[in-house]
């Protein structure tokens, strides 16, 4: 890419990066971490910023500087075997082994669990997960609609609700 991005393109790129990297873990975990850290709050914040913000930015920067076409292309600079191992390990880690199941459980715990008796939580989580992943599958099979739902509906709604939450915390 030899041309300079316009301000509008920078805003769109920043919005996309925010949407890709900001998740429930970035909203819920720091608060819980701060509570557990107690007097060690500052080292905990520094560690979280390094691992939760710094490392992803370093990854993006590395891909940009090396002009790689993605993770495999970047890790291929070490060796071909390493590229296969690292790419598979990372995709499995951020996908089906940790992140994908967490998307359903966090949504259930935050939005539904308090309305379901403790004795029925496992069944309710199972039913919720089936419905949740049915919706995910439906929208995933229509990739052209994902951009509309995420970019036009979900992300702005999320930012509005996040703003309301922050304002409520500040004023109360």
């Amino acid at each position: 890419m030899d041309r300079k991005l316009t301000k509008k393109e920078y805003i769109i790129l920043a919005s996309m990066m925010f949407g890709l990297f900001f998740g429930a873990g970035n909203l819920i975990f720091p608060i819980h971490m701060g509570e557990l850290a107690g007097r060690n709050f500052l080292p905990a914040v520094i560690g979280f910023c390094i691992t939760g913000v710094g490392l992803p930015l370093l990854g993006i920067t590395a891909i940009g500087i090396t002009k790689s076409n993605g993770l495999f292309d970047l890790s291929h600079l070490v060796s071909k075997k390493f590229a296969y191992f690292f790419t598979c390990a990372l995709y499995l880690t951020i996908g089906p082994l940790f992140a994908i199941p967490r998307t359903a459980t966090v949504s259930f715990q935050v939005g539904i669990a308090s309305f379901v008796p403790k004795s029925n939580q496992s069944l309710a989580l199972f039913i919720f997960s089936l419905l949740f992943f049915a919706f995910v599958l439906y929208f995933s099979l229509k990739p052209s609609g994902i951009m509309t739902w995420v970019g036009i509906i979900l992300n702005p709604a999320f930012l509005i609700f996040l703003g309301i939450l922050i304002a409520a915390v500040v004023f109360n």
Side-chain angles (χ1 to χ4, degrees), residues 15 38 58 87 102 126 134 163:
S15 176
L58 279 175
T87 303
R102 190 180 70 179
F126 177 75

Side-chain angles (χ1 to χ4, degrees), residues 107-140:
S107 301
F108 176 79
Q109 288 298 323
V110 170
I112 307 293
S114 61
F115 300 108
V116 177
K118 295 271 185 208
S119 60
N120 296 335
Q121 294 257 325
S122 295
L123 177 62
L125 176 60
F126 177 75
I127 293 168
F128 178 84
S129 296
L130 285 177
L131 294 172
F132 181 87
F133 288 118
F135 278 107
V136 169
L137 178 62
Y138 173 78
F139 289 115
S140 297

Side-chain angles (χ1 to χ4, degrees), residues 15-52:
S15 176
M16 180 191 74
M17 299 300 284
F18 177 81
L20 287 173
F21 288 110
F22 191 88
N26 299 90
L27 186 61
I28 297 167
F29 179 68
I31 297 166
H32 182 65
M33 180 188 65
E35 181 182 24
L36 293 176
R39 292 177 185 238
N40 298 315
F41 177 75
L42 190 57
V45 167
I46 291 169
F48 182 76
C49 287
I50 289 170
T51 59

Side-chain angles (χ1 to χ4, degrees), residues 5-19 147 151 155 159:
L5 296 176
T6 66
K7 284 186 180 184
K8 181 180 178 182
E9 289 171 328
Y10 272 117
I11 291 169
I12 292 170
L13 182 61
S15 176
M16 180 191 74
M17 299 300 284
F18 177 81
M147 193 61 167
N155 197 32
L159 292 175

